[in-house]
Amino acid sequence: MELNFKRVPEADMLERSASFYEELRKRRTVRDFSSDPVNLDIIDKCILSAGTAPNGANLQPWHFSVVTSPEIKAEIRKQAEIHEHKFYNGGAPEEWIDALKHLKTDESKPFLELAPVLIAVFQKATTLDEQGIERKCYYAKESVGLATGMLISALHQAGLATLTHTPSPMGFLNKILERPTAEKPYLLLVVGYPTDTCEVPDITKLPLEKIRSIH
Ligand SMILES: Cc1cc2nc3c(=O)[nH]c(=O)nc-3n(C[C@H](O)[C@H](O)[C@H](O)COP(=O)(O)O)c2cc1C
């Protein structure tokens, strides 16, 4: 099929790349969510954006479970806090706990119940191809990482805040969300609006000269 690609004048490209950066640099991980509901049509469109990601052999090794049920969110919080309690009380190496100190995170995860939407991202080990044949997914981890990055960007640009949450281990998500064991929980995205008093850690991003070289 014909590629749908139109060249853009260079001045516009400069402007577009700069304004995309200006938008993305406003994204921050939020840990203080309001319970205001979110229209799920917005979430669905953002998931469709994630599903456009490049991926190994186009096997699209991802599944997104959208959770709004208060009962299921409460169960996810309960299980996550059990694991986080272990993590923060001897389960994680001191070095890891040290690296987290500046973020002031702890084992309490009220946002898992307060935020209106949770999106559990799963990574498939195998999937059915267009002919219905079961195929091993190649580069599944990389592919799901790319799709998740696009999902976070789409949610941000739609006007929503996110928290990338990785309770460790995350196997309980398969049980609660009734996903097959061949799907590995990748991460849990908490989605909604920040509270009016929400604060974020005072962190900086590396400047260009520290993250790229020219050859
Ligand atoms: C794979 C991954 C796992 C993360 N897990 C957690 C988590 O479990 N809890 C949390 O509070 N933040 C978590 N974060 C968020 C990071 O702490 C955050 O992205 C980082 O501090 C940079 O801040 P920013 O997102 O506001 O730029 C995670 C981020 C990534 C990419």
Side-chain angles (χ1 to χ4, degrees), residues 49-96:
S49 289
T52 68
N55 65 93
N58 199 33
L59 291 168
Q60 305 168 60
W62 41 65
H63 180 84
F64 304 93
S65 291
V66 178
V67 184
T68 58
S69 148
E71 293 76 26
I72 299 177
K73 285 193 288 176
E75 186 55 25
I76 289 176
R77 176 183 179 182
K78 189 174 144 203
Q79 292 299 322
E81 285 184 341
I82 290 170
H83 293 295
E84 293 286 299
H85 177 78
K86 289 186 196 146
F87 179 89
Y88 281 97
N89 293 277
E94 225 15 68
E95 208 181 341
W96 193 343

Side-chain angles (χ1 to χ4, degrees), residues 29-48:
T29 291
V30 158
R31 298 179 179 84
D32 199 3
F33 282 88
S34 121
S35 57
D36 292 349
V38 170
N39 181 332
L40 288 189
D41 290 345
I42 302 166
I43 303 291
D44 281 349
K45 277 286 182 299
C46 294
I47 290 174
L48 281 172

